[in-house]
Amino acid sequence: MIDGTFHIHHGDCIEHMATMEAASMDMAVFSPPFPSLYAYTSEASDIGNSEDLGGDARLHLGFFYRQLARIVKPGRVVCVHVCQIPRMKRTGGVGLCDFRGLNIRLGERSGLVYEYDWLIHKNPQAQAIRTKSRELQFSGLEADRAKTRGSLGDYIIKFRAPGDNEVPIRGEGGVSRNEWIAWAEASWTDIRETDTLNVKAGRGEDDTKHICPLQLGVIDRLVRLFSNPNEIVFSPFTGIGSEGYVAVKHGRRFYGCELKDEYHRAAIENLEKAVAYSEDQMALFAGGAT
Ligand SMILES: C[S@@+](CC[C@H](N)C(=O)[O-])C[C@H]1O[C@@H](n2cnc3c(N)ncnc32)[C@H](O)[C@@H]1O
């Protein structure tokens, strides 16, 4: 499946996943495009272009989850990073759309077993400034508190593919007891929002919106918890390659798909940096060991 340390398919993941071997991926970790919030490309296969969460997005994601459940090895872990989505006021929407719930339902329908979700803390002041949402701002508080709410956190949904895990995840390069004490908390409050790869390299000239890369600290925990060294980590929505970058730095291999030219190119550059880093580490280790 992979010649070398990583491969990133350039194109629609849903079509591509249908061509991938069953039970070929050891772990998956990704952020699906959040429909209505962000459109990354003008292509119909870009799920970010679906304005209708009940219709198009559900249909695309339904196909997507069916393929995902097929290609992940039995008993292995799928981590999905999502947030709840405010409905668009300009089209008459009110309240929140339950994107987390949609992903859980579609994952379960495809046969994945929903096991858990972690909440990732988001700073309300920073979110109020960034999103300009009245529900969070002091002006909203002063105008009518009935309409206020707290910040919208991120969630990591943990699924497992049905069946028995043939290769336990344990041992070498693992997770210490102290790390587990911290990471087993239901909410992760120590993730820095700015701890991401640089997005500039992936920007297209006609972009109106830009990518929200997943925090490297989140990926670090998930890759170390749920994969063994040298296994294949899969991100069907690779973006600029954050999941792959961390996976390769931890001595895993990476398989991805990305639709947008600029992101695909940026992801390859980022993965090449991670390969160079892990080769340096190995050389250092070999030098120190003699
Ligand atoms: C939320 S971003 C992922 C960001 C990624 N986690 C990172 O940290 O770089 C979603 C990505 O999915 C891509 N995308 C949208 N629809 C796609 C599809 N059908 N196949 C492959 N990629 C797609 C978008 O171009 C975007 O880069």
Side-chain angles (χ1 to χ4, degrees), residues 131-175:
T131 63
K132 303 190 176 57
S133 110
R134 279 274 277 176
E135 293 86 346
L136 267 176
Q137 287 178 336
F138 295 134
S139 59
L141 184 76
E142 279 142 25
D144 179 6
R145 289 199 301 279
K147 296 180 183 163
T148 56
R149 59 158 169 76
S151 63
L152 297 178
D154 286 356
Y155 296 91
I156 300 292
I157 304 169
K158 179 189 179 232
F159 292 109
R160 226 142 56 86
D164 291 334
N165 177 22
E166 280 184 5
V167 181
I169 304 169
R170 62 182 176 210
E172 197 197 335
V175 174

Side-chain angles (χ1 to χ4, degrees), residues 11-14 31-33 40-41 45-48 211-214 236-243 257-260 263:
D12 177 14
C13 65
I14 303 178
S31 317
Y40 304 98
T41 65
S45 48
D46 185 333
I47 296 173
I211 199 168
C212 269
L214 183 53
F237 302 106
T238 295
I240 57 171
S242 316
E243 291 89 0
C257 305
E258 174 53 47
L259 207 52
K260 180 171 159 142
Y263 295 161

